[in-house]
Amino acid sequence: MSWDAIRDAIDAKDAGRVITLVSRLDAAGRKEVAGRLPGRLKEMRDATRFGDLERGFHRPLMLAGAGTIGGAAAAAAWLCRREFDSWWLRSQGPQLRKDLDKVTADRPAEWRADVGRRIAERIRVTDFAEEVLPRWHMAAGLTLSAGAEPPAADGFAVMWASGGADTRTLADDPFLDALLPRLFEADGVGAALAFDRSSAEWDRERRTWADALAELAATGRIARDTLIGGCVRRFLRGGTPHELRWFVQLHEVLEPTDDEVVARVRDYARLLPSAPSTVADLALRAVRRADELERVDEPLFEEAAGAVLFRAEAKLVRAGLTWADRTARKRARVDATLRAVTAVFSCDSLDLRERAVKIAVKHAGRASAETGEEVRAAASALQGPLRETIATAFGEVESDAPVVLGPPPFVPRELPAPIASPAEMAAEFDALLRTEHQDWLAVERFLAALVAFAHQDADAARDALRPVVAPMPWLVDPDTSLGAHNEANWPLWAVRSLFVAKTPNRLVETLASFVKGWARKGATVFHPQMDRFLALRGREIAASLGGAPVLLAAPTTAAGHIDPVVLVERLERLEAAGAEPGRAELAQAMLRVPRETDAAAAARAGNLVSPAGRAMAAWLAAGPPDDPEVRCEVLEKPAATVGDRTLRLPSRILSVVSMPGDSDVARLCAFPEEGWRDFGQPSYRSAFAWWPGVTPSHREVAAAHLVPYQACLTDETQAQGATVLALAEAGGPAGAATGTLLALTLANRHERHRADAVEALLALSARGVLPAAETGVAVGRLAAFDRVRLGRVVRALTAAADAGALADVWTLVAAALPEVLPAPGERAPGGLPDLLALGTRTAETIGARGMLPALEAVAGRGGSSRLVKEAGRLHRTLAAAT
């Protein structure tokens, strides 16, 4: 009877009634209820559609368990069950805490403390406190009711700071004295409080932790040493800027006194080599402040100055140079200053190198002979005029010109081995289903195996795939449509065809869409012909299951090519099986023939008798087709005329592939298609990274198709990095289309896509086919028309130069500058001074010389703007005598 009443109270969502009933139970009743709860929870979950508890059941169930489960470990596990992690429970922590105190009031203090500790250990350290705050309230309530010490778990301290404590009444918080030191020790506190200040700006009633602690320190409630020392110790432990942001804010709010700074000056100096820039800036100001108080000796100065001058941040290096220069004579440490500033001689920034040289020359007269020798040795890394300036002040400097090694060699990817068994095929299908952007090579590998195994033993192939398909009954239900969102998912269509052989697969409709030249969706959006071709091939593969013994166009290289001998062997197997490849499959196989035709394979193909075999024999005998004419240009206006057609170009990039003929290959490659006058907006569903694999011997054709659709996506993530990597691995000429696509990806907002673009640039450079000048022109025009952010491109090009592609990067920069340098009265694009600085660095290193009229005009304007200064530096570098 005890269980029946409590079950009814739970079903009524009456937490108060549950508490009352549980408090009346004897030992036997508690044991009965504790044993029944897991089964009742399962029944309640099973009764819901998605297995989630209905709102209102959580607290009664939790309290029933807390009041009846005997062991502390079991009670903590019940209270922390996944089913109770509900979004709406996050705001009920305080009430849950009060209820838990009532229902466990007659439990021993040791039991409550143990449960509280175990719950605290289950708190995940996270930036989003609301997710685990109810657990904190339960642990805190049980700990306080037991009169126990706060749990030592990091999560408990983090959640105390993330919402458990009220900063308005922090002085009276029962955990303040015990947990305050933990703020500087527990992992996750910094991340949890990173937005402390911004959150307070949105909530005027909320006080920041930094302000609250500073006020308590001012009243003497807590010791300043605990806070300042805690911040410095946390800085020394290291961390990301995000993790240390709040500690920097607290340190600033506390405004350390001179004595407090001097007492920790050596710790501040230890932060300078590698701390995040915000921390290093704070530390440098502290060390300089101590130096003003004459509390920094020469060894400590040299340690601190040397550390900050080796850093990459220009702001910090500039501040370090100013400090060293102003105190060199005042503190009688010229030699130490000179030794420190030589670190900047190898800095990437020409501006900083010039400043370091100027400081060295300024103090040369007071340098010792030994220090002068060190300066001359360091100056050997300087180029041209700067090295000569040091030589004039310190004596002859030997040139130590850097060796330009070039980009790393290109190493083609190895194609994975074919799938060896139906079980491996099923595992690969499962992996593809879990992949957001499926790699086209992985898809081709899976489909090649599926075609082969379906032909050998279709039942065995289905048996292997059933465990993977089981959670997706809709996939094998002939009455269920796969939906538009699965249009491009080849593996899904193919597996469905294996299980539901008679299901219409839209093959005829897809073929008509490709052959008639264009398809339209809505008023202005057109499906790219590459996508329509891929859709046709995917349907053909699905329709061929069971009949074809082999997938004809499956590549044998990672670039997408097919070994001609293997291709002929596949056609022979298809003929022996009485199977004919689909129209798109045959065209794809033709396009994947390498540019170097195998004469023996062509001769062997002459024995083929099927229509597809004869067509391929003629293709191989004729040799590789001539490269089509490709035109690509970044336009200022969104319209252009091609022949008798006026095209509307939202992308403002004109891309044309001239390939005459009415074959499927010509129909696929020609761009734009006959009848197209409006490209519409970019398609976000296009499998862009697949396109280079369609024309692996003609990368410029694929690039020309890609550019108009990717031109407006530089702030998006649509596999742009994977696309340019595939393009770099393909074969054939690379021109303006490849360069424009590369320029767009170098300007992508997302770092991973820019990194892939750098890798693609290096691969093209190593292969000797990088269209550096064309890429530069595209970068310049895109930036001039405010289509890309030049700063992103400069960061990517700097990485490419660091990797060895100095000559190509210089060619690219030189081609971009005439397009992007502003005429008098025009606004310069953001990032242009950085592009000029990169040009100076690369030109200086490879010894480039020459004249750029547009550069000379900007350099001669006069003034102190960084644009004019950087233009002047590059102009002087290019004009220097060889």
Side-chain angles (χ1 to χ4, degrees):
M1 296 300 293
S2 301
W3 165 245
D4 292 340
I6 290 177
R7 182 194 58 200
D8 292 343
I10 292 172
D11 291 348
K13 303 178 183 179
D14 190 342
R17 180 66 176 160
V18 168
I19 294 172
T20 301
L21 292 172
V22 166
S23 66
R24 298 173 182 172
L25 293 175
D26 57 16
R30 288 184 176 182
K31 184 176 181 180
E32 179 192 7
V33 171
R36 297 271 198 154
L37 281 173
R40 182 55 183 158
L41 174 59
K42 184 178 184 301
E43 291 173 359
M44 297 173 78
R45 287 184 56 200
D46 291 344
T48 64
R49 181 177 181 184
F50 299 108
D52 296 327
L53 282 178
E54 183 181 323
R55 179 173 179 175
F57 288 130
H58 301 70
R59 278 177 49 218
L61 282 165
M62 294 170 74
L63 294 170
T68 60
I69 297 173
W78 175 261
L79 290 169
C80 295
R81 286 186 68 105
R82 180 190 61 81
E83 294 91 339
F84 301 148
D85 288 338
S86 172
W87 63 269
W88 67 268
L89 195 63
R90 298 173 187 174
S91 62
Q92 298 191 17
Q95 183 60 48
L96 183 60
R97 176 175 171 174
K98 294 177 182 178
D99 291 343
L100 198 59
D101 284 347
K102 294 178 183 178
V103 83
T104 61
D106 60 346
R107 295 294 188 103
E110 294 79 3
W111 183 92
R112 279 175 280 155
D114 193 9
V115 174
R117 177 184 59 80
R118 293 175 183 273
I119 292 175
E121 290 173 349
R122 290 172 176 262
I123 295 176
R124 301 179 304 276
V125 176
T126 171
D127 286 348
F128 303 101
E130 295 86 353
E131 295 181 3
V132 290
L133 198 53
R135 293 186 183 181
W136 183 87
H137 279 289
M138 290 191 291
L142 289 167
T143 298
L144 290 174
S145 70
E149 291 293 322
D154 282 359
F156 189 80
V158 172
M159 291 304 108
W160 176 66
S162 299
D166 186 345
T167 53
R168 293 171 297 181
T169 58
L170 194 58
D172 300 322
D173 190 290
F175 292 121
L176 175 63
D177 295 322
L179 292 186
L180 180 61
R182 299 282 292 137
L183 291 180
F184 308 99
E185 300 166 355
D187 289 333
V189 170
L193 292 179
F195 302 106
D196 182 43
R197 181 172 295 173
S198 58
S199 297
E201 291 175 356
W202 286 96
D203 184 357
R204 294 183 178 180
E205 296 183 0
R206 184 181 181 278
R207 294 178 66 210
T208 69
W209 268 87
D211 289 338
L213 291 176
E215 288 184 17
L216 290 180
T219 63
R221 173 65 177 82
I222 57 179
R224 285 177 58 85
D225 184 71
T226 300
L227 301 179
I228 297 174
C231 287
V232 174
R233 288 194 302 275
R234 184 63 187 85
F235 296 149
L236 289 169
R237 280 177 53 200
T240 66
H242 177 69
E243 293 167 337
L244 298 179
R245 178 191 301 169
W246 178 76
F247 299 100
V248 172
Q249 293 173 358
L250 176 59
H251 188 279
E252 297 291 346
V253 169
L254 290 170
E255 298 181 348
T257 65
D258 289 347
D259 289 341
E260 288 169 336
V261 169
V262 169
R264 297 174 178 83
V265 66
R266 294 192 179 277
D267 286 335
Y268 287 121
R270 289 169 56 197
L271 293 169
L272 292 173
S274 58
S277 60
T278 51
V279 176
D281 179 66
L282 174 156
L284 179 58
R285 285 187 279 114
V287 174
R288 293 183 65 176
R289 183 175 170 186
D291 193 29
E292 291 172 1
L293 299 170
E294 301 184 11
R295 301 297 296 273
V296 174
D297 56 24
E298 185 170 314
L300 183 58
F301 162 79
E302 193 160 0
E303 174 190 341
V308 77
L309 294 178
F310 263 114
R311 293 189 64 104
E313 300 91 341
K315 177 183 177 182
L316 287 172
V317 175
R318 192 173 293 110
L321 287 172
T322 299
W323 174 40
D325 180 30
R326 291 178 179 176
T327 61
R329 298 179 185 176
K330 184 178 180 181
R331 298 280 184 263
R333 54 191 184 204
V334 167
D335 284 347
T337 295
L338 291 173
R339 287 192 295 268
V341 300
T342 56
V344 187
F345 287 0
S346 57
C347 175
D348 288 340
S349 169
L350 180 57
D351 179 55
L352 294 175
R353 292 202 304 273
E354 288 181 341
R355 190 165 181 179
V357 167
K358 183 178 180 181
I359 292 172
V361 171
K362 175 181 177 181
H363 300 290
R366 290 178 171 80
S368 67
E370 182 180 354
T371 300
E373 183 63 31
E374 291 184 33
V375 173
R376 288 196 298 275
S380 62
L382 293 169
Q383 301 293 310
L386 292 182
R387 187 175 65 247
E388 294 170 4
T389 300
I390 292 292
T392 301
F394 289 89
E396 185 176 353
V397 176
E398 293 185 6
S399 174
D400 185 18
V403 177
V404 182
L405 298 176
F410 171 70
V411 179
R413 287 184 297 165
E414 292 187 7
L415 197 67
I419 293 174
S421 68
E424 184 183 348
M425 175 187 69
E428 183 67 16
F429 179 56
D430 187 43
L432 287 171
L433 291 178
R434 300 172 189 275
T435 304
E436 181 179 1
H437 297 292
Q438 295 174 347
D439 177 69
W440 69 274
L441 278 174
V443 171
E444 295 258 13
R445 178 172 175 263
F446 166 75
L447 290 176
L450 182 62
V451 168
F453 291 131
H455 185 264
Q456 293 171 14
D457 189 339
D459 289 336
R462 280 188 283 268
D463 289 342
L465 288 165
R466 274 196 177 90
V468 183
V469 172
M472 302 179 290
W474 50 268
L475 180 60
V476 295
D477 182 357
D479 297 325
T480 300
S481 171
L482 287 190
H485 62 286
N486 287 314
E487 286 282 321
N489 197 319
W490 288 12
L492 277 182
W493 277 95
V495 170
R496 178 180 174 86
S497 294
L498 182 66
F499 282 88
V500 189
K502 295 183 179 180
T503 300
N505 58 18
R506 299 175 57 187
L507 181 59
V508 174
E509 178 186 344
T510 310
L511 175 62
S513 174
F514 172 67
V515 172
K516 73 180 182 179
W518 57 273
R520 189 166 186 168
K521 178 183 177 183
T524 61
V525 180
F526 294 86
H527 296 297
Q529 65 230 59
M530 284 279 185
D531 271 5
R532 302 199 319 273
F533 174 78
L534 288 169
L536 174 59
R537 185 169 172 238
R539 301 297 187 279
E540 288 179 352
I541 294 171
S544 73
L545 290 181
V550 65
L551 185 61
L552 177 65
T556 58
T557 73
H561 293 104
I562 305 176
D563 184 322
V565 174
V566 174
L567 179 59
V568 175
E569 290 174 351
R570 290 174 179 173
L571 283 164
E572 292 171 347
R573 291 182 62 189
L574 286 167
E575 286 190 3
E580 187 78 6
R583 187 165 175 173
E585 188 71 8
L586 180 62
Q588 180 64 92
M590 291 176 173
L591 284 167
R592 286 182 169 169
V593 173
R595 297 175 75 86
E596 297 78 23
T597 305
D598 188 302
R604 182 174 170 180
N607 298 320
L608 296 169
V609 296
S610 65
R614 292 196 301 271
M616 185 60 71
W619 181 270
L620 293 173
D626 294 335
D627 288 309
E629 180 184 349
V630 178
R631 176 186 171 195
C632 185
E633 184 180 358
V634 179
L635 306 175
E636 186 173 3
K637 297 181 179 180
T641 300
V642 177
D644 61 347
R645 290 182 289 170
T646 299
L647 303 179
R648 191 179 76 84
L649 305 170
S651 67
R652 302 195 181 193
I653 293 181
L654 175 64
S655 187
V656 179
V657 179
S658 300
M659 193 164 189
D662 60 358
S663 68
D664 287 343
V665 169
R667 181 177 295 109
L668 173 63
C669 293
F671 190 79
E673 294 175 87
E674 189 66 33
W676 279 40
R677 297 181 183 275
D678 185 347
F679 282 96
Q681 297 299 319
S683 170
Y684 289 85
R685 293 175 52 246
S686 300
F688 292 133
W690 294 41
W691 294 12
V694 175
T695 60
S697 293
H698 302 280
R699 71 159 60 85
E700 189 73 351
V701 171
H705 281 253
L706 283 160
V707 164
Y709 295 105
Q710 289 207 340
C712 300
L713 302 179
T714 54
D715 283 344
E716 310 296 334
T717 176
Q718 291 290 316
Q720 290 96 323
T723 302
V724 292
L725 284 173
L727 206 65
E729 199 155 23
T738 300
T740 303
L741 190 68
L742 186 58
L744 290 166
T745 314
L746 288 167
N748 192 272
R749 174 185 178 185
H750 301 277
E751 185 176 354
R752 67 181 184 275
H753 292 309
R754 295 199 303 271
D756 286 342
V758 171
E759 187 176 341
L761 185 154
L762 294 172
L764 291 167
S765 178
R767 300 180 73 181
V769 293
L770 174 69
E774 291 88 342
T775 305
V777 169
V779 166
R781 291 183 69 82
L782 288 166
F785 299 150
D786 201 24
R787 303 296 308 284
V788 300
R789 296 190 180 184
L790 195 56
R792 297 174 184 170
V793 179
V794 174
R795 289 194 293 274
L797 292 178
T798 300
D802 291 341
L806 288 156
D808 278 328
V809 169
W810 162 245
T811 301
L812 191 156
V813 171
L817 287 176
E819 305 289 341
V820 78
L821 284 169
E826 292 183 352
R827 181 181 62 87
L832 180 54
D834 293 325
L835 183 68
L836 288 164
L838 177 61
T840 301
R841 173 194 163 192
T842 52
E844 194 176 64
T845 304
I846 67 172
R849 299 293 181 266
M851 299 297 292
L852 294 176
L855 178 68
E856 185 177 7
V858 174
R861 290 180 187 175
S864 59
S865 70
R866 186 170 173 234
L867 173 65
V868 173
K869 289 169 64 177
E870 294 293 355
R873 289 190 180 103
L874 179 54
H875 176 63
R876 290 192 298 273
T877 298
L878 295 175
T882 57

